[in-house]
Amino acid sequence: MKIYTKTGDKGTTGLIGGTRVAKNHIRLDAYGTIDELSGFIGLLKTEIEEKETSGFLDFIQQKLFVIGSYLATDTERTDVLPESRIWGNDIALIEQQIDRMDEELPPVNDFILPGGTKSAALSHVCRSVCRRAERCMTSLSEHFSLQDENPFVFINRLSDYFYILARKENQDHSVDEIFWQKVCK
């Protein structure tokens, strides 16, 4: 398989279903941001020591590829394939991981600033890119029918997961979290 196809040389790309759209199309912004998130997760994994967490990040990257293919499907021309779907048990797995980590953390009542360990800071980057992906998906849904809510729920839970993971990484490495200080003048 050649890595270059030359079909995108004029600024267009093909969706699943055959439709060609401009490379700055809102749909590409959505699944491109999902791809960006997966890239940052790959970087985050280089800093994660716990095997269970690293394995779960592998699972997340697999599911992000699924979401990308879902977002790349022109549902007006073709059906969404079963392998391009997020299922309820995928969401439940994220919730289980959040609950597992959250049980080990002290409660907080203040806003936390990104930082601490490198893994915690990278997890916050993943959280913020995940939130941007969610905004892109919402914008896309305002213009095109995205019938399945599970990818939205998955991405929403995923940003919570990265928040909790950042906190856990700081705690596991005995690094204090950085709390926002309200300054009144």
Side-chain angles (χ1 to χ4, degrees):
M1 178 176 131
K2 278 191 168 185
I3 194 68
Y4 57 90
T5 62
K6 300 182 181 182
T7 58
D9 289 352
K10 294 185 179 168
T12 65
T13 194
L15 300 177
I16 299 172
T19 305
R20 293 205 66 82
V21 296
K23 289 190 176 186
N24 63 354
H25 190 276
I26 190 171
R27 188 177 293 275
L28 274 74
D29 198 27
Y31 73 74
T33 305
I34 295 293
D35 185 41
E36 180 184 353
L37 174 58
S38 185
F40 276 114
I41 293 170
L43 182 59
L44 170 61
K45 285 190 319 188
T46 67
E47 295 294 323
I48 296 294
E49 297 169 2
E50 187 184 72
K51 287 185 191 232
E52 181 178 356
T53 300
S54 182
F56 192 70
L57 291 171
D58 290 337
F59 162 80
I60 289 170
Q61 284 183 300
Q62 293 288 329
K63 292 304 172 179
L64 289 175
F65 197 87
V66 168
I67 291 172
S69 68
Y70 171 76
L71 295 173
T73 301
D74 181 358
T75 56
E76 294 175 3
R77 295 189 69 180
T78 191
D79 292 331
V80 175
L81 298 172
E83 58 268 23
S84 294
R85 293 200 178 274
I86 293 294
W87 305 100
N89 59 336
D90 298 326
I91 297 163
L93 286 173
I94 292 178
E95 292 172 346
Q96 291 167 7
Q97 290 296 311
I98 292 170
D99 293 344
R100 177 186 67 83
M101 291 186 292
D102 196 34
E103 287 175 359
E104 301 173 20
L105 297 169
V108 294
N109 296 315
D110 297 309
F111 291 107
I112 295 174
L113 300 178
T117 65
K118 189 172 184 179
S119 58
L122 286 169
S123 190
H124 278 294
V125 170
C126 290
R127 176 190 53 76
S128 63
V129 173
C130 192
R131 288 286 191 211
R132 180 161 38 90
E134 186 176 25
R135 292 189 303 272
C136 290
M137 290 169 63
T138 300
S139 294
L140 178 61
S141 72
E142 291 172 351
H143 299 282
F144 298 93
S145 176
L146 300 175
Q147 303 109 2
D148 190 357
E149 75 173 19
N150 282 346
F152 290 92
V153 176
F154 186 93
I155 292 297
N156 185 271
R157 290 300 178 286
L158 190 54
S159 62
D160 296 334
Y161 170 82
F162 286 120
Y163 171 80
I164 291 295
L165 179 59
R167 294 196 61 219
K168 184 170 184 317
E169 283 296 304
N170 278 336
Q171 177 178 282
D172 288 355
H173 293 90
S174 302
V175 173
D176 290 336
E177 293 180 299
I178 307 162
F179 293 100
W180 174 65
Q181 301 294 315
K182 185 177 181 179
V183 179
C184 299
K185 291 186 175 189

